[in-house]
Amino acid sequence: MTWISATGVVLRDLVPAALRREWVRSGHCPDRDLYSLFRDRVREQPTRPAVIDDEGTLTYLVLDAAVRELAARLEAAGCGPADIVGVREPAGRAAVLAELAVLAVGAVVLPVPPGSDELLDRAGVRFVIGNGRIAGAAKFRRGAGSGRPHPEAPARILVSSGSESEPKMVAYSHNAFAGGRANYLRAVHGTTSVPRDLVLVQPTSGFGSFGVPVTLCCLGGTLIVTRWFEPGAALRSISEHRPTHVFAVPTMWRRMVEHPAEVDTGGLAAIVSSGDTLPPSTLAACRERFSVPMIDIYGSSDGVNCHTTTPENGVGVPDPAVCEIRISDGEICARGPMTPLCYVAAPELDAAYRLDGGWVRSGDNGRFDDLGRLQVTGRRKRVVIRGGYTISPAEVERAIGDHPAVKEVACVPVPDTELGERLCASVTVRNGHPPSLSELTAFLAARGVATPKLPEFLVVLPELPIGRTGKVCYRTLTRLAARRCGQ
């Protein structure tokens, strides 16, 4: 299938059409557009809470009335199913309302992270919703068209975190969200019939993107969102709103477990981590504090997903209702009902990351163990090359994380004229007593870390810099380390 926007942006489905049809026949995809599914939920449960945010609660019926009003304004402005619409609203009801309104007119949603306005030009956006207003005017008007969007047409564009490189835009169809992504969330929810999802990550992130398309449109649950993450406020939300599931990245979980506020976990069925490697110390602390299973999701905005409640034994067994996974030349590759259409306005990324037959390259190395569990052995891109020796920063981070004085850690390269790169460990510490570099390297050597992998610089920070998704921003750290430690 090929879709062309009103401004000429071409989105081609790089998965063979026969595979897409097979996933529908197998029941993995509902073959419906997202707003039609949402309208089913409104008819079934009009008085159920749909959204809880800092302003209060909206029921499904009240939310849909506001959605239809905004959708009518979009259509009156000339927006239609051939448009990609930028959504520049903060997390909360405004963002939910805008996303659903775009889906209601059959257009494509592009959530715009703060400071990423360049994405609007790249995606050929004519209309932007922000502060409840519609900005932009059509050079020519297009009506809403007849009928609903094709289920394999684009519905939402995910924006990668950009923590290690520039953000990528990835186009997903209605079926990919209502099928593969919804299937993984159903598995995460387990036996919970009506989920109440507290999503602490931003809805502009790949991890946080499920809220509207899945929790609301597919599952008919309650979506609990907050504008900004703050550990004390997050714990209060758990106590007050009694979510069944809480979604956060490892940095957020570490800060929550170390916050002194009391928390009532009586409503929790499980807590969920994704977006970055979950350190064993954080996993243990979360299990102790919240007394529910921790579900660790290995995934990306590129269409890779696997999850488990025992991350100490790998990242889980792939679910064919979500995506199948194979190892190709040591690299993890995925293909299945959640596979995206293509990258947006970036043929070079399609050439680099999409393989024949619809497969997507993850950029991660991995293997399967004897029980069929996927083991991620390291990033292909996030490495430090020291004099020709390849170092995995994640491996060193895991070892440093066991040091009793270290609270958080991230390792980044520092340019070096002699060796090309050297490794810098950036840490935050407990009780204000950081280890010296020699103490830290002795600790690592005693635990079997090879000498060429030992960090040669140490930067102690009050907090690690966090990007918009709540993950550590390695780009910011790399610049900081280069300034402090570079030649």
Side-chain angles (χ1 to χ4, degrees):
M1 179 176 184
T2 298
W3 181 90
I4 304 175
S5 79
T7 55
V9 173
V10 178
L11 301 178
R12 293 186 175 89
D13 190 358
L14 299 181
V15 175
L19 276 176
R20 297 285 193 195
R21 291 193 296 270
E22 178 57 33
W23 294 329
V24 170
R25 283 194 295 268
S26 300
H28 296 328
C29 300
D31 223 26
R32 299 273 305 283
D33 75 275
L34 289 168
Y35 184 68
S36 294
L37 293 170
F38 175 73
R39 287 288 295 161
D40 287 349
R41 308 290 85 77
V42 174
R43 285 188 289 268
E44 294 163 358
Q45 51 200 27
T47 60
R48 176 175 291 166
V51 178
I52 299 174
D53 67 357
D54 300 334
E55 300 178 55
T57 301
L58 291 177
T59 66
Y60 271 84
L61 187 62
V62 171
L63 174 61
D64 190 45
V67 167
R68 292 160 80 85
E69 188 274 334
L70 180 55
R73 288 165 51 201
L74 278 169
E75 289 182 338
C79 179
D83 276 302
I84 298 173
V85 180
V87 174
R88 196 161 44 194
E89 297 281 16
R93 64 184 60 194
V96 172
L97 171 62
E99 184 166 345
L100 284 168
V102 175
L103 293 173
V105 302
V108 181
V109 181
L110 171 59
V112 184
S116 300
D117 284 358
E118 75 281 357
L119 299 180
L120 299 174
D121 289 336
R122 285 168 50 193
V125 167
R126 298 193 299 164
F127 300 95
V128 177
I129 304 174
N131 297 318
R133 299 184 179 89
I134 301 170
K139 295 179 180 177
F140 51 92
R141 292 188 176 274
R142 289 173 174 263
S146 59
R148 299 302 306 156
H150 193 283
E152 302 296 358
R156 196 181 197 273
I157 295 172
L158 300 193
V159 180
S160 70
S161 65
S163 61
E164 298 176 29
S165 59
E166 291 300 319
K168 298 175 290 190
M169 292 186 289
V170 195
Y172 275 77
S173 69
H174 294 266
N175 262 342
F177 260 108
R181 283 190 169 263
N183 292 337
Y184 108 68
L185 205 65
R186 287 189 183 94
V188 166
H189 286 138
T191 59
T192 302
S193 57
V194 183
R196 291 171 63 89
D197 292 333
L198 171 56
V199 183
L200 297 174
V201 292
Q202 291 294 304
T204 55
S205 69
F207 181 24
S209 66
F210 65 84
V212 169
V214 180
T215 300
L216 297 184
C217 294
C218 297
L219 306 184
T222 298
L223 179 62
I224 308 167
V225 288
T226 185
R227 185 165 293 190
W228 306 110
F229 171 76
E230 191 280 318
L235 294 173
R236 287 192 296 274
S237 290
I238 294 173
S239 297
E240 179 180 351
H241 300 308
R242 299 181 68 80
T244 58
H245 296 75
V246 183
F247 297 78
V249 298
T251 303
M252 294 175 175
W253 284 119
R254 169 54 65 181
R255 294 179 183 182
M256 280 190 281
V257 296
E258 294 185 343
H259 196 279
E262 294 293 325
V263 58
D264 179 358
T265 62
L268 285 178
I271 55 179
V272 187
S273 180
S274 188
D276 209 345
T277 302
L278 181 64
S281 58
T282 301
L283 172 64
C286 286
R287 284 171 171 168
E288 181 177 355
R289 174 140 201 204
F290 295 103
S291 301
V292 294
M294 166 65 86
I295 300 173
D296 186 31
I297 298 173
Y298 165 69
S300 75
S301 58
D302 304 277
V304 183
N305 179 278
C306 208
H307 70 272
T308 181
T309 56
T310 57
E312 56 268 50
N313 297 320
V315 299
V317 177
D319 180 354
V322 179
C323 66
E324 57 180 313
I325 290 177
R326 73 178 188 186
I327 307 299
S328 178
D329 294 327
E331 183 178 12
I332 298 168
C333 299
R335 181 184 70 180
M338 76 173 288
T339 300
L341 303 172
C342 61
Y343 293 99
V344 179
E348 72 282 1
L349 293 179
D350 285 330
Y353 290 101
R354 300 299 293 261
L355 303 175
D356 291 343
W359 291 93
V360 179
R361 297 178 57 191
S362 70
D364 293 329
N365 292 321
R367 61 178 178 82
F368 286 103
D369 66 18
D370 293 340
L371 298 178
R373 299 174 300 199
L374 180 63
Q375 309 282 329
V376 180
T377 57
R379 289 287 295 166
R380 288 202 163 199
K381 291 197 305 180
R382 193 176 161 238
V383 295
V384 175
I385 310 296
R386 181 189 185 276
Y389 187 89
T390 300
I391 303 169
S392 166
E395 175 190 352
V396 182
E397 288 167 357
R398 286 192 294 270
I400 294 175
D402 290 334
H403 193 288
V406 172
K407 184 177 179 181
E408 296 176 297
V409 57
C411 292
V412 294
V414 172
D416 183 81
T417 55
E418 179 186 359
L419 295 174
E421 292 178 325
R422 297 180 188 266
L423 188 66
C424 174
S426 303
V427 302
T428 65
V429 298
R430 308 177 194 277
N431 304 318
H433 298 294
S436 67
L437 178 61
S438 60
E439 290 170 342
L440 184 63
T441 54
F443 173 85
L444 296 175
R447 277 154 179 76
V449 177
T451 299
K453 299 179 181 180
L454 297 176
E456 295 176 83
F457 302 105
L458 176 64
V459 173
V460 180
L461 299 169
E463 283 190 337
L464 297 183
I466 300 300
R468 61 177 178 80
T469 60
K471 297 193 292 185
V472 172
C473 185
Y474 288 98
R475 286 195 296 162
T476 300
L477 263 184
T478 299
R479 289 195 296 267
L480 187 152
R483 287 198 303 268
R484 293 197 183 185
C485 310
Q487 298 179 350

